[in-house]
């Protein structure tokens, strides 16, 4: 019989306000095996853990039940606490009376009753717990970074500098990401490509870094320390070894009408192209949907003009398979589509643009050569209106519930740059709140107002009304003056919300990494493990985890790199001890379990057994602990019940069922 | 020729109605078995020996020439011998086993599960013209049976002649056949070393007709139907013991792995639980050999459970016959990304 | 419960709106075609309800100037939908006796031969109990 | 195809022509409008109050009648459409309203929002198809530059009405193209004309109509069409003869060559 | 009309949730304060493929009125394919239960991701309503197991 201690956490009032914690603790004492029960305000705190420690020592506990928040939150905390007091950490079970009880029920009696039942199920489980010891697995000392923007670049550089090989997989033909599309950066106003290009060069030249551009992750299998990844290298139609990057093919290409992705569709590009001049690698790709040769079979001009003979129309997609110990996701973001926000007339007027489009217009390498002009008629605007929070902070399904975080600052930047370069242009910003938490951020915004005379109006815009003469009438509110404003403008710039790259869902699925309702990857702990995914061996870098600006992205990229390095530096990893185990006396050797094992962890051996005095050689299932991940698929396939899962045994789950149905 | 005469005379002693012509197949099996025993190819023979009544032969090993006096192979040899090969595989030397076409599916399924050793078996595929159900004959009011003729394998006769203490009676062979033979999988053996005797096509029904009938019932009717069937269960475990798929060293219902060890059922739930779980455990592995229903002393139509699973598997995951090949995956250890969702059960109504 | 508190609760109940969701962006006031005619502006309705000053709302011209055009309802990013609050306040006023905004005697002089039934029906429903 | 038809008060009294145009056009386009027996006025305004039941019952009756006939419910007036569609949504999704309305109605089988509510324009778009309509036009209104005036009730609240993009609708423009004319897109097409308040606040609604018409004329419209009799009345009243305002059914009948037939009746 | 609910009857409902998606989804429902009935009690399993039909029958035997299993969406399994096996197992088991006359509404499988707190709570609402309308499970309960 176990000697069980039950610890009921108040979680401040999170639990105690809805669950009668005293009563839960008292009820625990009536359960079989329970020799100790107490409640405390914060069980996870140092003091709370001390209580556990003391009880284990004093009452010689052999098992613990902690009634608290989700085991996904603090199971490890309490297991470690138990271990410190000399108890096997797998003798701890959590009754989730917060997320599954106090937070979803209102009636105290009802919630308390349920908490007691959940506690009973946990006690029933602990009664059948057995001490478990983790095994070991090896670590492949190579990292994969998915995404080649500034986040991916920084992470890759840091890992490579620590001496580990890194592969970057980038979907587009060049690394660089969103940052390469920006003109200047806040709050220092230095030129984006001036600071990014050297880093791109560094990545390209680094002996430990290998870049797969125009490539996508095709499949991921394995687990922490030992992932196997298939990477699809899309047919570039250009031999990367032969190409010298001279650019003649792009000049001569007769198909030049494809909207340029890099310029947000504001300009065009050729069918054979590099996205931008500083692309890394500086090797073009042929867009087969736009290429005349691929569409009609005729043309082939690029091949004729290429002195290096690098054009290869017969190239096909290639699948590269590689092993990695750690994977960093750095898939970045895009702007939301504005089709649900047509009160701003984005689809009705060419002069209503997004901020990222403005970046391209302001950029010397952009579609207007850096001249600020209206896209409808090429005229210089005299009045520009910026609208903030377009699709951010929305409670309805038109937009995003979160603050996109970067808009306030880049709008101040845009306003300042415009006022600086074109002092005769008036700039008005409609805002709800100006959010500038960051070093030198508020000073930056104040400069826009005080030194550059940018007109900030607190209030949203209701409608942008295109006028017959091409002007735009902006109807907005000025909440401080309590007025409705009708402002004539030549150009309207929308601070559209940012959202995670739509591909991230697919990637997260392959990685079995959690993702939230907004498609941001979930961190293992919001405060304490912000760059790790709950899935071991997966790390998060940049906006894929949540909105952030460049300095924050670079910091997080470094942090993700450190976490990955920490993993790669280990020679062995402790494995999950909740693995399957076969009872030799019951095993039929039928191979059914091996059929369903996703990890190939089950093999068969001829072994001698002593079955109640009968000695014979039998074909028996053997589980490789290092490979077994503990899913339990085999246990259900096994008709005799020989195969069982440690930590989630048949009898334990049945005991929980019984406790709940009691 | 000497052997032939001898065999005939032996048989003639046990049944005055039989003729040498009609016994040809049984004799050939015996002769071949003796031959293989003699030359050391096999160490023993697994077949059927005559019982105390004319209709209850039982599985038996034959190791010496004189043992064959009791060897029979006739219409009452329904027992599927493949499961005996699990134990026989552990014995020294090869075992000659007589398998009917349907038994070979079971043998192959057991091979797939590494439960029998192909190298330890010498399979004689014996011909079959459908096996008989004594209960059906009795149900026709034929009692006090002394002997039966027409049940021999080579007999082309469509009728059985039964000598009873009340005089001679007759009935059609087809009417006396086991249910499973009306829905026979086919007359070909899927695995064998040699075959002896001809088989006959006996399939004249659809094996899912009964299942469909039950499916069409209301929940209340279904419940009542199975309540009635299963309340007869005495948990004698005959179904489990005979089933070639139920080959666990120790059944879950006898071990403490699920806290499910029970000897007798106390109320209706347990019969259901036992039979559902048993059917679930053999789902995708059951060849539909029908032995469970044949041996049930209470006459419970246990194959209705297995056939329900087979029907669902066929409908949802594609036609499947357990034991038809040696592909390692069964429907329950395989999947398709496009598989139906469990909600289909409610949708089908 | 005090009367004003009761009336505020009633407005929340009738409208189904939680005024606390408002982030004071002013999009309602920016969208309102009757803005200039209103003494209490659409975005202010929210704080009047939060502050339980319903009498001021009841006395305000704005109740009768709202067009029920749903522009604020459509565009509110926070699901507050001030138009619903205004309508609920109008309901409360109309339900409380003697505060009909349209008197039966007035109607003949307001109507011309082409006035559609729809206008009379809707006016009666909007303005009277 | 047969639809239950809710004509509404205005089209039954002051604007019978508009109703006739709709019916003869329907016939020509191969569908039939079967008027609901003993329909009652929808009230013209959707009662926003969640505790208002009595004022929703007229709509529920019409909806249930359509359900019993197994037909979709069609309206020509956008106010009726708005009210009935929203009441239908309440009956489908708001437990309290559904329960209480059904308690009042005492139907054999409770009404739970089963009926589909369609505006005549939706029938043209989704059932007939504008391409099909185009083929049946015998008298294309060539050279006419028409501004579609949507107003508020057809489009908003966008999620509930699920009629068209509330900020950038296209259905009436597509209709205008189908009858052979040229649509004029102008930003005030979904701004309110002040119809509801025109009885008591004449000046306000006059000013709003002025903005709409100026905007439409500025973008080159010769005329406006509406799908709401109140908008039509209000715009016409405040506009004089500068920019004629027509009901869409009238133009439809004209394009199908049926207008004279109705006018003679 | 089913306006009146049987206030007396409180169903016992067992929910098996996989650790990676559905249990996390239930956590999210909790941290988003989305309510659902306290009649639902969750048992954490590593994967939906860990759910043995024995567990479900046992729950019914011990007096559960409904059993629901939640797992990662097909294609999203943390263990890559566990839920595909679970899907076949549950389909066949539920079909068998239906075949012997247990109402198909008493069993359900729902795929709930870690991001679908709202779906989790809605599913539980629906399931509790369904079980409440079916009433007490009398067909599979072993009366000896009941606390009298």
């Amino acid at each position: 019989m176990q000697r069980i201690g039950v610890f009921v956490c108040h979680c401040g009032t999170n639990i105690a306000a809805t669950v009668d914690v005293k009563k839960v603790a008292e009820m625990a004492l009536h359960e079989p095996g329970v020799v100790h029960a107490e409640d405390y305000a914060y069980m996870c705190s140092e003091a709370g853990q001390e209580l556990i420690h003391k009880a284990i020592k004093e009452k010689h506990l052999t098992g613990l039940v902690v009634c608290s928040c989700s085991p996904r939150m603090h199971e490890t905390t309490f297991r470690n606490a138990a271990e410190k007091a000399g108890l096997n950490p797998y003798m701890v079970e959590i009754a989730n009376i917060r997320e599954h009880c106090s937070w979803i029920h209102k009636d105290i009696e009802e919630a308390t009753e349920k908490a007691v039942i959940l506690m009973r199920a946990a006690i029933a489980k602990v009664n059948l717990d057995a001490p478990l010891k983790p095994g070991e697995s090896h670590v492949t000392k190579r990292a994969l970074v998915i995404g080649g923007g500034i986040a991916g670049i920084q992470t890759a550089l840091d890992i490579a500098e620590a001496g580990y090989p890194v592969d970057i997989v980038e979907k587009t033909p060049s690394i660089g990401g969103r940052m390469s599309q920006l003109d200047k950066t806040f709050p220092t106003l230095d030129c984006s490509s001036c600071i990014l290009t050297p880093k791109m060069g560094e990545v390209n030249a680094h002996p430990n870094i290998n870049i797969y551009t125009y490539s996508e992750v095709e499949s991921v299998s394995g687990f922490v320390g030992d992932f196997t990844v298939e990477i699809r290298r899309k047919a570039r139609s250009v031999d990367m070894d032969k190409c010298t990057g001279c650019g003649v093919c792009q000049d001569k290409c007769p198909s030049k009408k494809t909207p340029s992705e890099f310029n947000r569709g504001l300009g065009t590009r050729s069918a054979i192209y590099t996205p931008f001049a500083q692309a890394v690698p500086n090797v073009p790709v042929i867009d087969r949907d736009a290429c005349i040769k691929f569409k009609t079979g005729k043309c082939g001009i690029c091949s004729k003009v290429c002195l290096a003979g690098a054009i290869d129309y017969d190239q096909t997609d290639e699948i590269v398979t590689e092993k990695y110990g750690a994977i960093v996701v750095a898939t970045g973001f895009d702007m939301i589509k504005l089709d649900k926000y047509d009160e701003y007339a984005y689809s009705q007027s060419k002069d209503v643009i997004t901020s990222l489009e403005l970046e391209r217009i302001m950029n010397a390498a952009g579609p207007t050569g850096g001249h600020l002009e209206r896209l409808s008629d090429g005229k210089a605007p005299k009045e520009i209106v910026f609208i903030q929070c377009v699709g951010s902070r929305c409670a309805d399904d038109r937009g995003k519930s979160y603050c996109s975080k970067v808009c306030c600052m880049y709008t101040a930047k845009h306003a300042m740059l415009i006022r600086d370069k074109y002092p005769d242009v008036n700039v008005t910003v409609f805002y709800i709140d100006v959010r500038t938490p960051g070093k030198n951020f508020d000073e930056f915004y104040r400069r826009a107002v005080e030194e550059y005379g940018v007109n900030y109006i607190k209030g949203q815009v209701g409608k942008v009304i295109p006028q017959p003469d091409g002007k735009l009438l902006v109807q907005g509110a000025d909440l401080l003056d309590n007025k409705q404003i009708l402002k004539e403008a030549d150009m309207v710039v929308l601070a559209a919300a940012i959202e995670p790259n739509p591909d991230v869902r697919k990637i997260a699925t392959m990685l079995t990494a959690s993702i939230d309702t907004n498609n941001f990857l979930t961190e293992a702990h919001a405060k304490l493990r912000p760059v790790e995914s709950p899935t071991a061996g997966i790390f998060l870098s940049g906006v894929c985890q949540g909105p952030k600006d460049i300095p924050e992205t670079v910091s997080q990229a470094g942090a993700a790199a450190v976490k990955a390095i920490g993993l790669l530096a280990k020679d062995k990893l402790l494995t999950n001890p909740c693995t399957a185990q076969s009872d030799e006396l019951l095993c039929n050797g039928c191979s059914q379990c091996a059929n369903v094992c996703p990890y190939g962890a089950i093999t068969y051996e001829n072994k001698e057994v002593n079955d109640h005095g009968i000695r014979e050689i039998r074909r028996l299932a053997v589980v490789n602990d290092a490979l077994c991940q503990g899913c339990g698929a085999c246990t259900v396939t096994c008709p005799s019940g020989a195969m069982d899962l440690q930590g989630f045994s048949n009898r334990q789950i049945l005991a929980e069922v019984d406790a709940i149905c009691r | 020729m000497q052997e032939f005469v001898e065999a005939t005379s032996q048989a003639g002693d046990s049944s005055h109605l039989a003729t040498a012509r009609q016994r040809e197949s049984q004799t050939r099996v015996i002769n071949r078995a003796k031959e293989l025993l003699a030359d050391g190819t096999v160490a023993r023979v697994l077949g059927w020996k005559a019982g105390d009544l004319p209709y209850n032969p039982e599985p038996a090993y034959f190791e010496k020439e004189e043992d064959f006096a009791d060897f029979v192979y006739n219409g009452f040899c329904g027992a599927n011998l493949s499961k005996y090969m699990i134990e026989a595989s552990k014995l020294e030397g090869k075992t000659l086993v007589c398998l009917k076409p349907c038994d070979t599916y079971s043998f192959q399924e057991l091979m797939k599960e590494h439960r029998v050793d192909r190298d330890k078996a010498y399979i004689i595929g014996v011909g079959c013209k459908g096996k008989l159900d004594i209960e059906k004959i009795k149900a026709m009011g034929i009692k006090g049976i002394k002997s039966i003729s027409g049940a021999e394998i080579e007999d082309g006769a469509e009728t059985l002649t039964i000598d009873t203490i009340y005089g001679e009676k007759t009935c059609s062979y087809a009417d006396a056949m086991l249910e499973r033979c009306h829905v026979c999988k086919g007359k070909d053996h899927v695995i064998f070393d040699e075959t002896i005797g001809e088989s006959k096509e006996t399939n004249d029904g659809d094996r899912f007709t009964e299942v469909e009938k039950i499916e069409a019932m209301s929940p209340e009717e279904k419940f009542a139907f199975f309540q009635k069937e299963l309340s007869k269960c005495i948990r004698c475990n005959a179904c489990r013991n005979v089933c070639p798929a139920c080959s666990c060293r120790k059944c879950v219902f006898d071990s403490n792995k699920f806290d499910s060890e029970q000897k007798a059922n106390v109320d209706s739930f347990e019969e259901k639980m036992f039979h559902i779980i048993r059917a679930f455990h053999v789902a995708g592995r059951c060849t539909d050999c029908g032995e469970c229903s044949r041996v049930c002393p209470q006459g419970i139509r246990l194959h209705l459970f297995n056939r329900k699973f087979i029907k669902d598997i066929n409908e949802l995951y594609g036609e499947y016959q357990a034991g038809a090949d040696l592909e390692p995956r069964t429907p329950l250890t395989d999947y398709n990304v496009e598989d139906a969702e469990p909600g289909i059960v409610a949708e089908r109504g | 419960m005090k009367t004003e508190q009761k009336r505020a609760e009633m407005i929340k109940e009738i409208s189904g709106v939680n005024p606390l969701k408002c982030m004071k962006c002013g999009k309602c006031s920016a969208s309102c075609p009757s803005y200039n005619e209103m003494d209490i502006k659409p975005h202010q309705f929210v704080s009047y309800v939060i502050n339980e000053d319903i009498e001021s709302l009841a006395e305000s011209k704005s109740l009768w100037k709202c067009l029920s055009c749903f522009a604020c309802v459509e565009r509110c990013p926070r699901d507050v939908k001030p138009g619903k609050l205004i309508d609920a306040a109008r309901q409360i006023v109309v339900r409380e006796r003697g505060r009909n905004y349209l008197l039966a005697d007035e109607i003949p002089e307001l109507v011309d031969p082409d006035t559609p039934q729809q206008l009379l029906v809707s006016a009666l429903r909007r303005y009277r109990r | 195809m047969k639809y239950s038809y809710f004509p509404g008060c205005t089209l039954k009294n002051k604007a019978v022509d508009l109703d006739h145009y709709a019916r003869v056009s329907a016939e020509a386009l191969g569908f039939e409008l079967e008027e609901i027996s003993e329909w009652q006025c929808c009230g013209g305004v959707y009662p926003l109050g969640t505790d208002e039941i009595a004022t929703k019952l007229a709509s529920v009756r019409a909806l249930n009648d359509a359900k019993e006939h197994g037909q979709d419910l069609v309206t020509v007036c956008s106010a009726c459409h708005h009210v009935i569609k929203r009441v239908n949504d309440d009956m489908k999704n708001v437990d309290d309203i559904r329960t209480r309305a059904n308690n009042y109605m005492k139907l054999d089988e409770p009404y739970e929002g089963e009926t589909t509510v369609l505006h005549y324009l939706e029938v043209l778009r989704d059932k007939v198809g504008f391409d099909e309509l185009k083929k049946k036009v015998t008298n294309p209104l060539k050279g006419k530059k028409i501004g579609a005036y949507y107003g508020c009730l057809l489009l908003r609240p966008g999620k509930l009405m699920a009629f068209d993009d509330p900020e950038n609708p296209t259905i009436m423009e597509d209709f205008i193209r189908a009858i052979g004319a040229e649509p004029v897109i102008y930003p005030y097409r979904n701004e309110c004309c002040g119809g509801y308040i025109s009885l008591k606040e004449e000046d306000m609604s006059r000013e709003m109509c002025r903005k709409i018409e100026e905007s439409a004329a500025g973008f080159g419209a010769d005329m406006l069409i509406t799908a709401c009799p109140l908008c039509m009345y209000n715009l016409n009243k405040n506009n004089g003869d500068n920019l004629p305002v027509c009901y869409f059914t009238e133009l439809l009948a004209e394009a199908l060559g049926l207008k004279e037939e109705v006018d003679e009746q | 009309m089913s306006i009146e609910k049987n206030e007396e009857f409180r169903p016992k409902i067992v929910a098996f949730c996989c650790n990676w998606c559905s249990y996390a989804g239930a956590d999210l429902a909790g941290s988003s304060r989305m309510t659902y009935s306290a009649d639902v009690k969750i048992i954490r399993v590593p994967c939906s493929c860990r759910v043995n039909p024995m567990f479900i029958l046992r729950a019914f035997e011990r007096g559960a009125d409904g059993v629901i299993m939640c797992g990662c969406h097909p294609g999203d399994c943390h263990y890559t394919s566990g839920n595909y096996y679970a899907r076949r197992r549950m389909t066949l088991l539920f079909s068998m239960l239906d075949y012997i006359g247990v109402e198909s509404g008493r069993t359900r499988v729902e795929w709930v991701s870690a991001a679908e707190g709202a779906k989790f709570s809605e599913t539980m609402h629906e399931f509790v309503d369904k079980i409440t309308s079916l009433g007490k499970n009398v067909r599979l309960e072993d009366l000896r197991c009941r606390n009298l």
Side-chain angles (χ1 to χ4, degrees), chain B residues 210-211 214-215 219-220 222-224 226 252-253 258-260 262 266-270 272-273 276-277 279-281 283 304-306 308-309 312-313 316-317 329-342 344-346 348-349, chain E residues 50-62 69 73-75 80-105 107-111 137-145:
Chain B
E210 268 183 295
V211 175
I214 298 166
E215 283 173 343
E220 291 73 21
K222 287 174 183 172
F223 192 75
F226 282 105
V252 276
F253 285 94
F258 287 85
D259 295 331
S260 53
Q262 298 151 345
V266 177
D267 77 357
S268 62
F269 179 79
E270 278 169 18
K272 290 196 189 72
M273 175 123 167
I276 293 168
I277 290 296
F280 192 86
H281 279 177
L304 290 177
F305 286 104
N306 302 324
K308 169 61 179 167
F309 278 132
D312 278 343
I313 287 169
L316 297 169
Y317 312 126
R329 280 176 189 263
T330 68
L332 272 167
T333 56
D334 202 358
Y335 66 86
N336 190 317
V337 174
E338 306 298 329
D339 280 343
E341 292 296 329
I344 195 170
V345 175
R348 289 192 304 196
Chain E
R50 178 67 190 92
V51 178
N52 195 309
M54 295 279 269
F55 302 162
I56 290 169
L57 294 183
R58 171 75 147 247
F60 283 128
E61 175 187 13
R62 296 289 155 113
M69 186 192 86
H73 284 267
T80 68
S81 51
N83 53 2
Y84 289 128
Y85 296 117
R87 183 164 65 179
R88 283 200 171 186
R89 291 166 186 163
M90 293 306 134
T91 306
L92 291 182
L93 177 71
F94 293 176
S95 179
M96 177 54 75
L97 288 174
D98 175 66
Y99 182 68
I100 65 160
V102 177
E103 300 95 334
S104 55
T107 48
R108 178 164 171 179
V109 166
E110 199 61 56
W111 311 119
N137 161 37
V138 286
R139 297 208 169 143
L140 285 181
E141 184 177 6
D142 182 340
L143 295 179
R144 292 168 306 158
C145 297

Side-chain angles (χ1 to χ4, degrees), chain B residues 68 79 83 98 107 118 153-154 168-169 179 217 238 285 344:
Chain B
F68 285 93
K83 190 176 182 182
C98 300
F107 186 87
R118 180 67 182 90
I153 295 308
E154 300 301 321
E168 194 173 276
K169 309 240 166 142
E179 191 275 344
M217 293 178 184
R285 302 161 53 229
I344 195 170

Side-chain angles (χ1 to χ4, degrees), chain B residues 79-250:
Chain B
N80 180 348
L81 301 182
S82 52
K83 190 176 182 182
Y84 293 87
M85 287 306 293
I86 297 174
E87 285 307 311
S89 295
K90 296 179 188 167
L91 303 173
E92 277 296 316
K94 277 196 184 195
T95 303
L96 185 157
V97 60
C98 300
L99 297 179
K100 306 186 290 295
C102 58
D103 303 339
T104 57
Y105 287 85
S106 305
F107 186 87
Q108 191 149 269
E109 185 64 27
L110 284 164
M111 264 177 71
K112 191 198 287 192
E113 295 168 14
H114 308 274
R115 306 289 285 132
V116 295
D117 189 344
R118 180 67 182 90
D119 296 336
K120 289 285 193 69
Y122 189 94
I123 302 170
I124 291 189
V126 292
C128 177
K129 63 168 190 173
K131 292 290 169 262
L132 296 164
D133 184 349
I134 189 61
E135 298 306 324
K136 278 193 175 172
I137 296 172
K138 287 179 179 169
M140 292 174 206
I142 302 173
K143 305 253 164 70
I145 300 169
K146 290 194 326 208
S147 71
I148 300 171
S149 72
E152 294 73 11
I153 295 308
E154 300 301 321
D155 193 352
E158 300 287 321
T159 46
L160 289 171
T161 311
I162 303 144
D163 184 22
T164 77
I165 51 175
Y166 310 107
E168 194 173 276
K169 309 240 166 142
T170 58
C171 76
S172 120
Y173 194 97
D175 286 350
M177 243 168 18
L178 286 163
E179 191 275 344
R180 72 183 193 210
C181 299
H182 289 284
V183 296
C184 175
K185 284 187 275 294
K187 53 182 189 171
D188 295 325
H189 298 83
V190 290
I191 190 166
F192 56 84
D193 290 296
E194 60 182 280
T195 60
I196 295 177
E198 288 292 305
S199 292
K200 196 171 143 191
E201 200 71 70
T202 59
N203 188 330
D204 59 357
D206 175 355
R207 61 177 169 159
F208 297 128
T209 311
E210 268 183 295
V211 175
E212 278 160 9
K213 226 184 273 169
I214 298 166
E215 283 173 343
M217 293 178 184
S218 72
E220 291 73 21
E221 289 167 340
K222 287 174 183 172
F223 192 75
F225 175 83
F226 282 105
Q227 184 85 325
K228 198 170 161 226
E229 278 289 307
L230 293 178
S231 60
K232 294 186 280 187
C233 176
I234 53 172
R235 272 302 287 281
C236 67
N237 288 335
C239 50
R240 184 178 93 183
N241 295 343
V242 77
C243 174
C246 250
S247 62
C248 289
R249 291 183 207 284
K250 189 166 196 179

Side-chain angles (χ1 to χ4, degrees), chain A residues 450-498:
Chain A
E450 293 163 24
E451 290 175 30
Y452 290 91
V454 178
N455 180 23
Y456 272 80
I457 298 176
K458 180 172 169 62
Q460 254 300 8
V461 167
K463 189 167 172 123
V464 174
I465 304 156
Q467 298 295 93
D469 63 0
K471 296 249 185 203
L472 299 160
L473 203 54
V474 178
Q475 180 182 314
D478 182 335
L479 298 181
L480 299 180
D481 280 359
N482 222 7
K483 278 195 305 211
Q484 193 178 64
I485 295 176
L486 273 176
K487 187 157 194 67
E488 212 167 63
D490 300 306
M491 202 178 215
V492 169
V493 184
L494 307 177
I498 61 174

Side-chain angles (χ1 to χ4, degrees), chain A residues 130-324:
Chain A
L132 300 176
K133 253 187 96 169
E136 287 182 340
S137 69
H138 87 287
V139 179
T140 303
K141 299 196 177 273
R142 186 182 194 88
L144 171 67
V145 175
I146 305 173
I150 181 61
I153 287 172
Q154 187 63 48
T155 303
L157 279 174
D158 289 348
I159 297 175
E161 275 302 297
Y164 297 103
V166 188
D167 292 349
I168 299 178
V169 172
E170 165 59 43
K171 189 175 59 175
T172 69
S174 170
I175 59 168
R178 292 277 163 258
M179 188 173 168
S180 62
Q181 291 176 297
L182 305 183
D183 182 40
K184 302 274 192 311
T185 57
F186 62 78
T188 47
L189 294 184
D190 37 7
C191 142
S192 184
S193 51
C194 306
I195 53 177
L196 178 65
T197 314
K199 276 202 184 285
M200 288 163 63
E202 212 182 317
V203 165
N204 202 23
H206 205 291
N208 276 344
I209 300 179
N210 176 31
I211 311 172
Y212 293 111
T213 50
Y214 209 48
S215 300
E216 286 180 54
V217 174
E218 186 85 357
S219 78
V220 180
S221 60
F223 47 88
V224 56
D226 192 22
F227 293 104
T228 304
V229 180
E230 286 185 327
I231 298 161
R232 176 179 292 274
R233 304 189 67 181
K234 288 178 281 184
R236 206 174 184 107
S237 316
V238 176
D239 187 324
M240 293 193 70
D241 296 329
K242 290 183 185 160
C243 175
T244 59
C246 68
V248 175
C249 53
Q250 303 185 52
D251 291 344
K252 301 289 182 206
C253 176
S255 165
K256 287 204 161 55
K257 293 225 171 93
T258 309
S260 155
E261 294 86 354
F262 186 74
N263 280 328
R264 306 296 293 182
L266 299 184
T268 56
R269 60 157 170 82
S270 43
I272 183 165
Y273 72 107
T274 49
F276 53 104
Q278 303 85 351
V280 169
N282 186 19
V283 176
V285 301
I286 295 180
D287 172 355
R288 294 188 173 184
D289 293 334
C291 174
I292 297 166
K293 171 82 177 171
F294 278 99
K295 283 198 293 192
T296 67
K298 292 177 203 131
C299 186
I301 290 176
C302 49
S303 177
K304 283 173 209 141
V305 300
C306 180
L307 297 176
I311 308 294
D312 178 1
Y313 298 119
D314 299 327
Q315 238 180 39
T316 52
D317 289 7
E318 186 191 334
I319 305 283
V320 180
T321 307
E322 191 70 70
K323 288 203 159 244
Y324 300 99

Side-chain angles (χ1 to χ4, degrees), chain D residues 37-77:
Chain D
S37 57
E38 294 176 40
W39 55 269
Q40 293 163 317
C41 173
C42 70
V45 183
Y46 169 72
L48 272 177
T50 50
D51 59 345
E52 298 230 354
I53 299 300
T55 43
K56 293 180 175 130
L57 293 180
S59 303
V60 179
R61 269 187 205 106
L63 286 161
N64 189 58
D65 193 272
K67 173 189 161 188
E68 282 172 0
H69 284 82
Q71 294 168 349
D72 293 349
L73 179 59
V74 173
T75 71
V76 178
C77 161

Side-chain angles (χ1 to χ4, degrees), chain A residues 70 75 509 648 650 661, chain E residues 12 27 40 44 50 58 76:
Chain A
S70 171
E75 189 173 59
T509 302
F648 289 96
N650 290 323
C661 296
Chain E
K12 277 186 197 169
D27 279 358
V40 178
R44 183 165 71 129
R50 178 67 190 92
R58 171 75 147 247
D76 293 358

